[in-house]
Short mmCIF file of all heavy atoms in Angstrom, two decimals:
data_model
loop_
_atom_site.label_atom_id
_atom_site.label_comp_id
_atom_site.label_asym_id
_atom_site.label_seq_id
_atom_site.Cartn_x
_atom_site.Cartn_y
_atom_site.Cartn_z
N ALA A 41 -123.98 43.12 71.24
CA ALA A 41 -123.24 43.43 72.46
C ALA A 41 -123.89 44.56 73.24
O ALA A 41 -124.15 45.63 72.70
CB ALA A 41 -121.81 43.81 72.10
N GLY A 42 -124.17 44.29 74.52
CA GLY A 42 -124.71 45.30 75.41
C GLY A 42 -126.20 45.54 75.27
O GLY A 42 -126.74 46.41 75.91
N GLU A 43 -126.90 44.78 74.45
CA GLU A 43 -128.33 45.01 74.24
C GLU A 43 -129.13 43.87 74.85
O GLU A 43 -128.82 42.72 74.70
CB GLU A 43 -128.64 45.08 72.74
CG GLU A 43 -127.96 46.23 72.03
CD GLU A 43 -128.48 47.59 72.48
OE1 GLU A 43 -129.63 47.67 72.97
OE2 GLU A 43 -127.73 48.55 72.36
N ASP A 44 -130.20 44.25 75.58
CA ASP A 44 -131.09 43.26 76.19
C ASP A 44 -132.41 43.13 75.43
O ASP A 44 -133.11 42.17 75.58
CB ASP A 44 -131.40 43.63 77.64
CG ASP A 44 -130.15 43.52 78.52
OD1 ASP A 44 -129.30 42.68 78.22
OD2 ASP A 44 -130.07 44.30 79.48
N ASP A 45 -132.74 44.12 74.65
CA ASP A 45 -134.02 44.17 73.97
C ASP A 45 -134.03 43.22 72.77
O ASP A 45 -133.11 43.21 71.95
CB ASP A 45 -134.25 45.60 73.48
CG ASP A 45 -135.65 45.82 72.92
OD1 ASP A 45 -136.40 44.85 72.81
OD2 ASP A 45 -135.95 46.98 72.59
N ALA A 46 -135.07 42.41 72.66
CA ALA A 46 -135.17 41.45 71.55
C ALA A 46 -135.21 42.15 70.21
O ALA A 46 -134.86 41.57 69.19
CB ALA A 46 -136.42 40.59 71.73
N GLU A 47 -135.62 43.42 70.19
CA GLU A 47 -135.63 44.16 68.93
C GLU A 47 -134.23 44.41 68.42
O GLU A 47 -134.01 44.68 67.25
CB GLU A 47 -136.38 45.49 69.12
CG GLU A 47 -137.84 45.32 69.44
CD GLU A 47 -138.63 44.60 68.37
OE1 GLU A 47 -138.42 44.85 67.19
OE2 GLU A 47 -139.44 43.73 68.74
N ASP A 48 -133.24 44.37 69.32
CA ASP A 48 -131.86 44.64 68.95
C ASP A 48 -131.07 43.34 68.81
O ASP A 48 -129.89 43.29 69.14
CB ASP A 48 -131.20 45.53 70.00
CG ASP A 48 -131.82 46.91 70.03
OD1 ASP A 48 -132.19 47.40 68.95
OD2 ASP A 48 -131.94 47.49 71.12
N ALA A 49 -131.72 42.32 68.34
CA ALA A 49 -131.07 41.03 68.20
C ALA A 49 -131.20 40.52 66.77
O ALA A 49 -132.16 40.82 66.08
CB ALA A 49 -131.70 40.00 69.15
N GLN A 50 -130.19 39.78 66.36
CA GLN A 50 -130.30 39.04 65.12
C GLN A 50 -130.69 37.63 65.52
O GLN A 50 -130.48 37.19 66.64
CB GLN A 50 -128.94 39.01 64.41
CG GLN A 50 -128.47 40.36 63.95
CD GLN A 50 -127.07 40.32 63.41
OE1 GLN A 50 -126.25 39.53 63.84
NE2 GLN A 50 -126.78 41.18 62.47
N TRP A 51 -131.26 36.93 64.57
CA TRP A 51 -131.67 35.55 64.83
C TRP A 51 -130.91 34.65 63.86
O TRP A 51 -130.75 34.98 62.69
CB TRP A 51 -133.18 35.40 64.67
CG TRP A 51 -133.88 36.07 65.81
CD1 TRP A 51 -134.12 37.41 65.97
CD2 TRP A 51 -134.35 35.45 66.99
NE1 TRP A 51 -134.75 37.64 67.16
CE2 TRP A 51 -134.91 36.46 67.81
CE3 TRP A 51 -134.40 34.12 67.44
CZ2 TRP A 51 -135.48 36.18 69.05
CZ3 TRP A 51 -134.98 33.86 68.66
CH2 TRP A 51 -135.52 34.88 69.46
N LEU A 52 -130.44 33.54 64.39
CA LEU A 52 -129.65 32.61 63.61
C LEU A 52 -130.45 31.33 63.38
O LEU A 52 -131.15 30.85 64.27
CB LEU A 52 -128.36 32.24 64.35
CG LEU A 52 -127.50 33.38 64.87
CD1 LEU A 52 -126.31 32.84 65.63
CD2 LEU A 52 -127.09 34.32 63.76
N LEU A 53 -130.34 30.81 62.17
CA LEU A 53 -130.87 29.48 61.87
C LEU A 53 -129.64 28.59 61.63
O LEU A 53 -128.84 28.85 60.72
CB LEU A 53 -131.75 29.50 60.62
CG LEU A 53 -133.10 30.15 60.76
CD1 LEU A 53 -133.82 30.17 59.42
CD2 LEU A 53 -133.95 29.44 61.80
N VAL A 54 -129.49 27.59 62.45
CA VAL A 54 -128.36 26.68 62.35
C VAL A 54 -128.86 25.39 61.71
O VAL A 54 -129.78 24.75 62.22
CB VAL A 54 -127.74 26.41 63.73
CG1 VAL A 54 -126.54 25.48 63.59
CG2 VAL A 54 -127.34 27.73 64.39
N LEU A 55 -128.25 25.05 60.58
CA LEU A 55 -128.65 23.85 59.83
C LEU A 55 -127.54 22.82 59.85
O LEU A 55 -126.41 23.14 59.47
CB LEU A 55 -128.93 24.20 58.36
CG LEU A 55 -129.79 25.41 58.07
CD1 LEU A 55 -129.65 25.82 56.63
CD2 LEU A 55 -131.21 25.07 58.38
N ARG A 56 -127.84 21.63 60.27
CA ARG A 56 -126.86 20.55 60.15
C ARG A 56 -126.98 19.96 58.77
O ARG A 56 -128.07 19.74 58.25
CB ARG A 56 -127.13 19.49 61.22
CG ARG A 56 -126.71 19.99 62.58
CD ARG A 56 -126.89 19.00 63.67
NE ARG A 56 -126.50 17.66 63.28
CZ ARG A 56 -126.74 16.56 63.98
NH1 ARG A 56 -127.40 16.67 65.10
NH2 ARG A 56 -126.37 15.39 63.57
N ASP A 57 -125.83 19.69 58.17
CA ASP A 57 -125.79 19.16 56.80
C ASP A 57 -124.69 18.10 56.72
O ASP A 57 -123.71 18.25 56.00
CB ASP A 57 -125.53 20.31 55.81
CG ASP A 57 -125.58 19.86 54.36
OD1 ASP A 57 -126.21 18.83 54.06
OD2 ASP A 57 -124.96 20.54 53.54
N GLU A 58 -124.88 17.03 57.47
CA GLU A 58 -123.86 15.99 57.54
C GLU A 58 -123.60 15.32 56.20
O GLU A 58 -122.50 14.90 55.92
CB GLU A 58 -124.26 14.95 58.58
CG GLU A 58 -124.25 15.52 60.00
CD GLU A 58 -124.75 14.55 61.04
OE1 GLU A 58 -125.17 13.44 60.68
OE2 GLU A 58 -124.69 14.92 62.22
N SER A 59 -124.61 15.27 55.36
CA SER A 59 -124.43 14.64 54.05
C SER A 59 -123.83 15.60 53.03
O SER A 59 -123.44 15.18 51.94
CB SER A 59 -125.78 14.12 53.54
OG SER A 59 -126.69 15.19 53.37
N GLY A 60 -123.73 16.89 53.37
CA GLY A 60 -123.14 17.86 52.47
C GLY A 60 -123.97 18.13 51.22
O GLY A 60 -123.43 18.50 50.20
N ARG A 61 -125.26 17.97 51.31
CA ARG A 61 -126.11 18.11 50.13
C ARG A 61 -126.64 19.53 49.89
O ARG A 61 -127.11 19.85 48.82
CB ARG A 61 -127.27 17.12 50.16
CG ARG A 61 -128.28 17.37 51.22
CD ARG A 61 -129.42 16.35 51.16
NE ARG A 61 -130.48 16.68 52.06
CZ ARG A 61 -131.42 17.56 51.83
NH1 ARG A 61 -131.45 18.23 50.71
NH2 ARG A 61 -132.37 17.82 52.73
N LEU A 62 -126.54 20.40 50.90
CA LEU A 62 -127.02 21.77 50.76
C LEU A 62 -125.97 22.63 50.05
O LEU A 62 -124.80 22.62 50.42
CB LEU A 62 -127.37 22.37 52.11
CG LEU A 62 -128.51 21.67 52.87
CD1 LEU A 62 -128.65 22.28 54.26
CD2 LEU A 62 -129.80 21.77 52.09
N ASP A 63 -126.40 23.36 49.05
CA ASP A 63 -125.52 24.21 48.27
C ASP A 63 -125.41 25.59 48.92
O ASP A 63 -126.43 26.25 49.18
CB ASP A 63 -126.06 24.33 46.85
CG ASP A 63 -125.16 25.18 45.97
OD1 ASP A 63 -124.09 24.67 45.59
OD2 ASP A 63 -125.54 26.32 45.67
N ALA A 64 -124.18 26.03 49.18
CA ALA A 64 -123.94 27.32 49.85
C ALA A 64 -124.54 28.47 49.07
O ALA A 64 -125.13 29.39 49.66
CB ALA A 64 -122.45 27.52 50.07
N ARG A 65 -124.43 28.47 47.75
CA ARG A 65 -124.99 29.57 46.94
C ARG A 65 -126.50 29.62 47.06
O ARG A 65 -127.08 30.71 47.15
CB ARG A 65 -124.62 29.38 45.46
CG ARG A 65 -123.25 29.89 45.12
CD ARG A 65 -123.08 29.90 43.61
NE ARG A 65 -123.76 28.77 43.02
CZ ARG A 65 -123.21 27.86 42.22
NH1 ARG A 65 -121.97 27.98 41.87
NH2 ARG A 65 -123.90 26.85 41.74
N GLU A 66 -127.15 28.46 47.05
CA GLU A 66 -128.62 28.45 47.20
C GLU A 66 -129.02 28.98 48.58
O GLU A 66 -130.02 29.68 48.71
CB GLU A 66 -129.15 27.04 46.98
CG GLU A 66 -129.09 26.59 45.54
CD GLU A 66 -129.64 25.18 45.36
OE1 GLU A 66 -130.55 24.78 46.12
OE2 GLU A 66 -129.15 24.49 44.46
N LEU A 67 -128.26 28.62 49.62
CA LEU A 67 -128.55 29.13 50.95
C LEU A 67 -128.32 30.62 51.04
O LEU A 67 -129.07 31.34 51.71
CB LEU A 67 -127.72 28.38 51.99
CG LEU A 67 -128.10 26.91 52.22
CD1 LEU A 67 -127.10 26.24 53.13
CD2 LEU A 67 -129.52 26.78 52.76
N ASP A 68 -127.27 31.12 50.35
CA ASP A 68 -127.03 32.58 50.29
C ASP A 68 -128.23 33.29 49.70
O ASP A 68 -128.72 34.29 50.24
CB ASP A 68 -125.80 32.89 49.42
CG ASP A 68 -124.48 32.59 50.11
OD1 ASP A 68 -124.44 32.59 51.35
OD2 ASP A 68 -123.51 32.37 49.37
N GLU A 69 -128.71 32.78 48.57
CA GLU A 69 -129.87 33.38 47.90
C GLU A 69 -131.11 33.30 48.77
O GLU A 69 -131.87 34.26 48.88
CB GLU A 69 -130.12 32.69 46.57
CG GLU A 69 -129.06 32.97 45.54
CD GLU A 69 -129.22 32.14 44.26
OE1 GLU A 69 -130.30 31.53 44.07
OE2 GLU A 69 -128.27 32.10 43.48
N PHE A 70 -131.31 32.16 49.42
CA PHE A 70 -132.47 31.97 50.28
C PHE A 70 -132.43 33.00 51.42
O PHE A 70 -133.42 33.68 51.68
CB PHE A 70 -132.50 30.55 50.85
CG PHE A 70 -133.63 30.34 51.80
CD1 PHE A 70 -134.87 29.98 51.34
CD2 PHE A 70 -133.44 30.51 53.17
CE1 PHE A 70 -135.94 29.78 52.21
CE2 PHE A 70 -134.51 30.32 54.05
CZ PHE A 70 -135.75 29.95 53.57
N ALA A 71 -131.31 33.13 52.09
CA ALA A 71 -131.20 34.07 53.22
C ALA A 71 -131.44 35.50 52.74
O ALA A 71 -132.08 36.29 53.44
CB ALA A 71 -129.83 33.95 53.87
N GLY A 72 -130.99 35.83 51.53
CA GLY A 72 -131.20 37.16 50.96
C GLY A 72 -132.68 37.47 50.78
O GLY A 72 -133.08 38.64 50.88
N GLU A 73 -133.47 36.46 50.51
CA GLU A 73 -134.91 36.66 50.36
C GLU A 73 -135.55 37.14 51.67
O GLU A 73 -136.64 37.71 51.66
CB GLU A 73 -135.60 35.36 49.93
CG GLU A 73 -135.21 34.91 48.53
CD GLU A 73 -135.76 33.53 48.20
OE1 GLU A 73 -136.72 33.07 48.84
OE2 GLU A 73 -135.20 32.89 47.30
N TRP A 74 -134.88 36.89 52.78
CA TRP A 74 -135.38 37.28 54.10
C TRP A 74 -134.55 38.44 54.68
O TRP A 74 -134.55 38.67 55.88
CB TRP A 74 -135.32 36.06 55.04
CG TRP A 74 -136.08 34.92 54.51
CD1 TRP A 74 -135.58 33.88 53.76
CD2 TRP A 74 -137.48 34.68 54.60
NE1 TRP A 74 -136.61 33.04 53.40
CE2 TRP A 74 -137.77 33.51 53.89
CE3 TRP A 74 -138.54 35.38 55.20
CZ2 TRP A 74 -139.06 32.99 53.79
CZ3 TRP A 74 -139.81 34.86 55.09
CH2 TRP A 74 -140.05 33.68 54.41
N ASP A 75 -133.82 39.16 53.81
CA ASP A 75 -132.93 40.26 54.25
C ASP A 75 -131.85 39.79 55.20
O ASP A 75 -131.45 40.49 56.12
CB ASP A 75 -133.73 41.40 54.89
CG ASP A 75 -134.66 42.06 53.87
OD1 ASP A 75 -134.29 42.15 52.70
OD2 ASP A 75 -135.77 42.47 54.30
#
Side-chain angles (χ1 to χ4, degrees):
E43 298 293 336
D44 293 329
D45 188 355
E47 295 299 318
D48 294 324
Q50 295 173 328
W51 289 80
L52 310 177
L53 289 177
V54 181
L55 312 165
R56 287 183 41 191
D57 184 24
E58 294 175 356
S59 62
R61 67 178 188 81
L62 296 174
D63 181 74
R65 277 190 324 235
E66 289 180 30
L67 290 173
D68 284 335
E69 291 173 13
F70 177 86
E73 293 173 20
W74 303 93
D75 296 325

